[in-house]
Amino acid sequence: MNTISKEARVIFMLGLFALASLSLTACETMEGAGQDIEKAGEAIQKKANE
């Protein structure tokens, strides 16, 4: 029934984990993380409004 294989899900989840880890290590403080998340949200909102 599932169209995505178990291996593809595992690879996808590992990729997301790696991306999250890299983005969090780039932020020196929680304030920096909040600013990064806010900027990402603004970029998504800008694209949605186009």
Side-chain angles (χ1 to χ4, degrees):
M1 291 208 132
N2 293 333
T3 59
I4 300 174
S5 69
K6 190 173 186 177
E7 294 84 9
R9 285 188 201 163
V10 170
I11 291 170
F12 179 74
M13 293 303 289
L14 288 173
L16 282 178
F17 179 74
L19 182 62
S21 296
L22 289 174
S23 66
L24 289 176
T25 57
C27 299
E28 293 184 7
T29 64
M30 287 304 290
E31 182 179 349
Q35 291 171 352
D36 290 345
I37 293 168
E38 183 177 1
K39 287 180 184 177
E42 289 172 357
I44 292 169
Q45 187 175 20
K46 183 178 177 182
K47 284 289 184 184
N49 289 332
E50 291 180 353

